[in-house]
Amino acid sequence: MKIIRTTHAIRHETTTARASGRMVALVPTMGCLHEGHLSLIRRARKLVGAKGAVVVTIFVNKTQFGVSEDFGRYPRALKRDTALCRGLGVDIVFAPSDEAIYTVRHSTFVVESRLAKLMEGASRPTHFRGVMTVVAKLFNLVQPHAAVFGAKDWQQAVVIRQITGDLNFPVRVVIAPTIREHDGLAMSSRNEHLSPAERAQSTVLYEIIRAARAA
Ligand code: PAF
């Protein structure tokens, strides 16, 4: 497994993989990997087969955090993450620095102007702009045949599908099912911020979804 830090090197690796006839699948993450991410990586492997290249990106993307949000506190565990990736047979981990992705002169953003204004976009007005910008950059750098995202972040996945079509990226966007803890809480890197009391309350979300479905 290669661990790559620069945009030049990732472009070179995946261009070479494609040129030799390998399928390339991308799994973008912000790291602190859990079973939900691992299920996306397994799905990516299924998509490209044993000979294909699975690329996992680990990058805490500051532009998708609002000014008073938890960018500084977001959990980071690169050593553990790379070990998990190696265990799953990932071919490349792309873990760039902030400066590699956002150079000092960076001034271009991707804005989806309809779906991204609703729901989470209403309370986090710059969030989807940051996500779409980094996803577009990763699509351009890695040039994957397919990219796998979790259904947990459903609005994110739908907006990514929208920009992929609108901007004519030749990438198949695959949305993989949410993976849950035994009591129903969706797995998320941020769950580790929950206090024991909040963790106990959090299952109400899944109970509500089930009740709504049953009704
Ligand atoms: O879902 C995430 O972890 C992030 O929003 C993504 C897609 C990796 C972009 O930073």
Side-chain angles (χ1 to χ4, degrees), residues 54-210:
V54 172
V55 181
V56 174
T57 68
I58 297 177
F59 179 65
V60 184
N61 174 40
K62 62 180 175 190
T63 63
Q64 70 188 73
F65 291 77
V67 275
S68 54
E69 292 181 14
D70 59 345
F71 174 68
R73 278 197 324 128
Y74 195 86
R76 289 159 171 88
L78 187 60
K79 216 167 156 196
R80 185 178 152 275
D81 290 348
T82 50
L84 285 168
C85 287
R86 191 169 281 116
L88 280 186
V90 166
D91 298 277
I92 299 172
V93 168
F94 178 46
S97 63
D98 280 358
E99 299 72 32
I101 295 295
Y102 297 109
T103 62
V104 278
R105 294 175 61 80
H106 187 274
S107 59
T108 304
F109 291 89
V110 175
V111 176
E112 192 286 328
S113 57
R114 185 168 46 92
L115 305 167
K117 285 190 176 149
L118 311 172
M119 296 162 65
E120 189 172 359
S123 57
R124 301 180 77 192
T126 56
H127 173 66
F128 287 115
R129 180 183 90 138
V131 176
M132 298 311 132
T133 300
V134 81
V135 167
K137 285 165 83 70
L138 293 174
F139 282 4
N140 279 327
L141 287 167
V142 176
Q143 306 201 351
H145 295 90
V148 188
F149 298 89
K152 173 176 74 67
D153 299 303
W154 183 253
Q155 187 178 10
Q156 166 175 285
V158 170
V159 181
I160 288 169
R161 275 220 164 122
Q162 182 72 33
I163 65 149
T164 302
D166 289 349
L167 300 179
N168 306 101
F169 285 113
V171 178
R172 178 176 163 203
V173 173
V174 175
I175 304 178
T178 302
I179 305 297
R180 295 181 179 279
E181 304 286 355
H182 65 279
D183 59 3
L185 178 65
M187 289 193 184
S188 167
S189 308
R190 282 190 173 104
N191 288 351
E192 65 179 58
H193 289 331
L194 297 174
S195 68
E198 288 165 339
R199 177 64 187 82
Q201 289 163 7
S202 65
T203 55
V204 76
L205 294 169
Y206 186 54
E207 284 156 23
I208 289 168
I209 292 170
R210 280 162 54 102

